[in-house]
Amino acid sequence: MTNTANIFLPTRSIPVASPRSDRVDPPFPWVGLITLSAAVFLSVTSEMLPTGLLPEMSRSLDVTPSQIGLLVSWFAFTVVLTSAPVAIWTRRFPRHGLIIVVLIIFAVSNILTAIAPTYEFVVAARVLGGVAHGLFWSVVGAYAGHLVPKAQIGRAVSITVAGGTLAFVFGVPLGTAGGHLLGWRLSFVVLAALMLVGAVLVYKFLPPVARYSTGAPASAAKSVTKTARDATVPAVVLICIITGITMIGHYSFYTYIAPFLLDGLGVDLGLIAPLLFAYGVAGAVGLVFVGTVFGPRPSLGLILGLAVTALSVTLLATFTATLPVAIAAFVLWGMAFGMLPPLMQTRMLHAASPQIRDTASAFYTTAFNAGIGGGALLGAVLIDSVGLEMVPIVYVGLLIVALALVIVTDLIAQRRARA
């Protein structure tokens, strides 16, 4: 992974703050960030839609539910394997144009999924989407940070990540409901059309960021060496580890949430979409907490978010026979987990120096998607070996590990600050 921190500078589309004290900060780029958030919404909806349509896709393609769950793994592992080389290959291309191209590729991937005659064809279509997704997040992960001053990064990231939260609020539930009523293939067709609309919106409303050169381009090896010498690298690596552990636990369970709700709680198939909607709304509430309370305090927010997530999943697994308690725990889980991705990304951007912020975002994206793919794979293995009821227990165990790492590293940081 090359150090691309120097290739993003605002163009004339974004006012640049002057170092002189008599100049005001540039206006907050609401329109651009909301457009970026819309692109994130479409990307996350595309990634996670199979989780809501798992029963329908399983029957239609004549495969097991765990094989449909593994579509998430195929997608995520493609991101892990291709994001670094694709990011290096495209490092000279304008970031703004890359987002447009990626959305078009997403549209093609979803059309291919919709017309797929076999499971293997769906896997190939998802791999194509995974390549686009890896490039998308290597660009978007730091895009918001280049549109605003450092003091506003938490706010900008919250707005951008809100697109992912809204994907769980509206994208996945609406796609699931549409799939139940009209067939899962139509859901992917509609999503492909929305991808093309999103590409037009990005072209018109997202402020571009442009490259500049400081001399002869450094080789990838020299760039990585320079990054490795940065004093903030250990903190970034640790955040990526915490992120990976958390995502493995989460997606080992969430990927198979439809079978859990159907078989574990005994709810009707028609209630899956409303419950996913309630989960997404709760996640949006958690995101509001990040923007209003925990944005400047990401460590405290992470500790509370991880602890409440572990508590809520424990209650959900324990009270499966008591539907009101289980549903309340399910909604609480959505709210607590909704806080975690923006807080982890904010903490990473705060920890990384400006010189490695983009490279750090690429590694964060790799850790995040490795967690998604690893989680879906772990969930499939657990379901086939020990049963679905063990999955939330494993999830809670991984959350405890992540929580312990956050607390220990915070204590070490506090001691160093006092020394």
Side-chain angles (χ1 to χ4, degrees), residues 4-364:
T4 57
N6 291 330
I7 68 173
F8 303 98
L9 283 181
T11 67
R12 63 180 180 272
S13 301
I14 307 170
V16 179
S18 168
R20 292 174 52 185
S21 60
D22 59 342
R23 296 292 183 87
V24 297
D25 289 336
F28 193 75
W30 283 103
V31 173
L33 288 172
I34 291 172
T35 303
L36 198 61
S37 182
V40 171
F41 169 86
L42 294 170
S43 173
V44 173
T45 300
S46 180
E47 180 179 20
M48 299 311 302
L49 187 55
T51 64
L53 298 174
L54 192 149
E56 290 85 354
M57 294 181 70
S58 174
R59 289 193 298 269
S60 174
L61 297 170
D62 194 25
V63 295
T64 64
S66 60
Q67 285 178 284
I68 299 300
L70 287 176
L71 291 176
V72 177
S73 292
W74 281 106
F75 192 97
F77 285 145
T78 301
V79 174
V80 173
L81 294 175
T82 63
S83 59
V86 172
I88 293 172
W89 179 63
T90 59
R91 68 187 184 274
R92 299 181 182 278
F93 292 88
R95 310 290 97 181
H96 184 266
L98 281 178
I99 295 179
I100 296 173
V101 170
V102 162
L103 288 172
I104 294 173
I105 296 174
F106 273 140
V108 173
S109 171
N110 282 290
I111 286 292
L112 293 176
T113 300
I115 66 174
T118 64
Y119 175 76
E120 291 75 15
F121 196 99
V122 174
V123 170
R126 297 292 288 177
V127 168
L128 176 63
V131 174
H133 194 74
L135 177 58
F136 177 81
W137 280 105
S138 69
V139 176
V140 170
Y143 209 109
H146 291 291
L147 295 179
V148 297
K150 183 177 181 180
Q152 296 179 339
I153 284 177
R155 184 184 184 190
V157 168
S158 295
I159 294 170
T160 302
V161 177
T165 300
L166 290 176
F168 289 100
V169 176
F170 297 111
V172 176
L174 288 176
T176 300
H180 291 167
L181 294 174
L182 303 173
W184 65 269
R185 296 179 186 274
L186 183 60
S187 291
F188 285 98
V189 172
V190 172
L191 184 56
L194 291 176
M195 291 290 184
L196 297 178
V197 174
V200 174
L201 293 177
V202 167
Y203 174 76
K204 290 182 65 67
F205 298 114
L206 180 64
V209 289
R211 291 176 44 85
Y212 80 101
S213 175
T214 57
S219 68
K222 289 181 180 179
S223 185
V224 170
T225 301
K226 183 178 178 180
T227 299
R229 293 174 180 172
D230 192 286
T232 65
V233 166
V236 170
V237 170
L238 187 56
I239 293 168
C240 290
I241 292 173
I242 293 170
T243 299
I245 292 172
T246 303
M247 294 305 114
I248 287 173
H250 181 74
Y251 285 97
S252 70
F253 190 24
Y254 186 83
T255 302
Y256 305 96
I257 195 60
F260 181 83
L261 294 174
L262 290 171
D263 301 330
L265 301 187
V267 303
D268 294 331
L269 181 63
L271 291 177
I272 298 297
L275 286 173
L276 291 178
F277 177 76
Y279 182 95
V281 170
V285 173
L287 189 65
V288 170
F289 280 129
V290 174
T292 59
V293 179
F294 297 115
R297 309 172 187 85
S299 294
L300 175 61
L302 265 181
I303 291 172
L304 290 176
L306 288 168
V308 175
T309 300
L311 173 62
S312 58
V313 173
T314 300
L315 292 174
L316 178 60
T318 303
F319 291 94
T320 53
T322 310
L323 193 58
V325 176
I327 291 178
F330 180 68
V331 173
L332 180 62
W333 171 29
M335 183 187 70
F337 184 79
M339 297 169 52
L340 297 182
L343 285 172
M344 287 186 290
Q345 188 169 7
T346 298
R347 179 164 172 158
M348 186 274 297
L349 290 174
H350 280 176
S353 67
Q355 289 72 28
I356 70 163
R357 187 179 292 162
D358 300 300
T359 304
S361 293
F363 282 111
Y364 173 85

